[in-house]
Amino acid sequence: MQTHHGIHTERPGQSAEDKIIRHLITASGYVSGEEIARELRISRTAIWNHVNNLKKNGFRIESQPHLGYQLVALPDKLLPALVLNGLKTDLIGRKIIHYARTTSSNDEAEKLARTGEREGVVIIAEEQTSGKGRVGRVWHSPKGKGIYLSVVLRPQLPPARVSFLTLCSAISAAEAIHRSAGLRAFVKWPNDVLVSGKKACGILTELATESDRINYAIVGVGINVNQEASDLADLKMATSLKIEKGKEVSRLELTRAFLESLDSNYALILHEHYGEIIDRWLQVSATIGKRILAESLSGEKWEGVATGLDEDGCLLLRLDNGMTRRITGGDVSIV
Ligand code: BTN
């Protein structure tokens, strides 16, 4: 694995190493090299070479003469073969590309989308050297600590409704954090996911539009999973799941849980069930009913009580003069 050379895995038609990983994961004890060689129709020497490669990648595999190979431990890496093992999705993750290190998974996804990649492809990075946040901010992406992934989508959505992509991804992240780490997570309009009132996840949706349609959308999700307090020291109001839970959280299980939630919530968008997205969002909202300060990209400020979302997913704010103001973008903070 090298910078800018991703490991690609598609379902079906996986690489020999992916198939060996599957064999080793599903076996309860030793699997003979001969058996794997027969099934993959390659030589036992080839299997041996692949196994050595897997060991270099952090798989702990024991080999015993006459018995074969046994998997002892998996690497803490979001390798496609591991993420795909047991993943229950239709569309999201039908192809997964993994980078040990890259500038930004959104940029990698963008390059693919621009050259016609189908929707559902997921780019995962262990480390990002220029992780991007919203409004030109940096997203700190230390190696192996967080989840940094991007999904290529091609929704047939009117551009006015694009906020639904971000809302849908935020709900999915909140659901996944709850399901897989057991922590209650709430969504803060438009794109943050909070645990104990602090930001644990952010979403950056980037769009390519053509006249009145979306050509593609890149949904980039960053989750602070196993960061220590010292990793977040210079970030105000940020937290990680490990800090909140008091112990490590499996990035692998959380990644799968997120992709599965996104798969079912994105299907709601494809079926135009926007009302259902709004309902789900309201159920996990940290914003509604709170007094908030909204600041537009041009610097305008509005303070009031968040009362709901409109049919385009914009935030409705009741100002102190009784008027309702529709917030379409920018930043929101809870006062
Ligand atoms: C924000 O809250 O400002 C959005 C943060 C989004 C970060 C993710 S990490 C994966 C993807 N690649 C990026 O460069 N950014 C997004």
Side-chain angles (χ1 to χ4, degrees):
M1 278 192 300
Q2 293 171 314
T3 314
H4 304 300
H5 289 89
I7 296 184
H8 299 224
T9 292
E10 266 179 85
R11 295 181 291 186
Q14 299 166 326
S15 72
E17 267 162 42
D18 291 343
K19 288 180 184 158
I20 296 174
I21 294 172
R22 246 210 347 258
H23 265 280
L24 294 173
I25 289 178
T26 44
S28 45
Y30 278 92
V31 210
S32 80
E34 198 179 325
E35 186 186 323
I36 310 177
R38 206 181 320 116
E39 233 166 274
L40 269 66
R41 301 210 177 115
I42 52 179
S43 70
R44 288 178 64 179
T45 319
I47 298 288
W48 187 83
N49 283 329
H50 285 309
V51 166
N52 277 341
N53 252 341
L54 291 174
K55 285 185 184 165
K56 280 189 208 132
N57 253 321
F59 286 84
R60 278 187 45 218
I61 300 168
E62 274 170 11
S63 25
Q64 284 279 342
H66 310 300
L67 286 174
Y69 303 104
Q70 182 177 33
L71 183 64
V72 182
L74 294 173
D76 180 13
K77 289 182 184 166
L78 301 173
L79 297 171
L82 301 180
V83 175
L84 287 171
N85 179 40
L87 180 73
K88 294 183 279 301
T89 61
D90 290 327
L91 183 82
I92 308 295
R94 60 182 171 192
K95 175 172 174 185
I96 298 184
I97 301 175
H98 176 269
Y99 288 85
R101 183 187 203 199
T102 185
T103 50
S104 150
S105 59
N106 264 34
D107 291 349
E108 299 294 351
E110 214 276 324
K111 277 185 229 155
L112 285 175
R114 213 185 317 130
T115 51
E117 183 65 57
R118 288 192 308 167
E119 69 173 346
V121 64
V122 175
I123 315 293
I124 304 180
E126 296 294 332
E127 178 183 6
Q128 297 184 120
T129 51
S130 339
K132 299 186 287 185
R134 276 177 73 242
V135 290
R137 293 189 194 120
V138 168
W139 187 260
H140 296 274
S141 315
K143 182 178 167 188
K145 303 247 174 138
I147 294 174
Y148 321 112
L149 67 78
S150 306
V151 187
V152 175
L153 298 172
R154 296 187 183 274
Q156 303 284 316
L157 258 184
R161 296 219 140 143
V162 293
S163 348
F164 279 97
L165 291 177
T166 302
L167 298 180
C168 159
S169 313
I171 307 166
S172 304
E175 282 173 2
I177 290 170
H178 189 211
R179 191 148 63 94
S180 144
L183 294 164
R184 296 287 305 278
F186 296 92
V187 293
K188 178 173 148 275
W189 193 90
N191 77 318
D192 293 354
V193 179
L194 311 181
V195 176
S196 304
K198 293 183 186 162
K199 179 159 171 171
C201 163
I203 292 154
L204 175 66
T205 306
E206 297 184 286
L207 291 178
T209 50
E210 269 171 19
S211 57
D212 206 25
R213 62 178 271 276
I214 295 172
N215 182 5
Y216 57 82
I218 308 297
V219 171
V221 182
I223 310 181
N224 297 335
V225 186
N226 290 322
Q227 278 89 340
E228 312 290 343
S230 57
D231 293 314
L232 304 169
D234 47 354
L235 300 170
K236 271 191 292 158
M237 295 307 286
T239 191
S240 77
L241 306 184
K242 182 179 179 184
I243 294 172
E244 298 305 324
K245 199 176 157 86
K247 63 176 188 195
E248 294 244 330
V249 168
S250 159
R251 291 188 309 139
L252 184 58
E253 278 168 35
L254 181 55
T255 301
R256 268 192 224 117
F258 171 73
L259 298 179
E260 288 172 2
S261 284
L262 184 64
D263 197 64
S264 68
N265 289 322
Y266 182 61
L268 294 174
I269 292 189
L270 296 183
H271 294 110
E272 299 180 23
H273 295 162
Y274 303 117
E276 179 64 28
I277 300 264
I278 291 184
D279 287 348
R280 289 189 189 186
W281 191 90
L282 292 174
Q283 277 170 25
V284 286
S285 164
T287 316
I288 303 303
K290 298 268 166 56
R291 193 167 176 82
I292 65 152
L293 176 68
E295 190 169 350
S296 76
L297 293 177
S298 58
E300 274 181 305
K301 288 185 182 164
W302 307 93
E303 199 177 312
V305 176
T307 54
L309 298 180
D310 75 357
E311 71 278 6
D312 289 334
C314 295
L315 185 68
L316 298 173
L317 201 61
R318 196 180 56 239
L319 308 178
D320 294 340
N321 64 9
M323 306 259 287
T324 291
R325 173 90 209 174
R326 186 171 175 260
I327 309 294
T328 56
D331 249 341
V332 151
S333 47
I334 299 170
V335 183

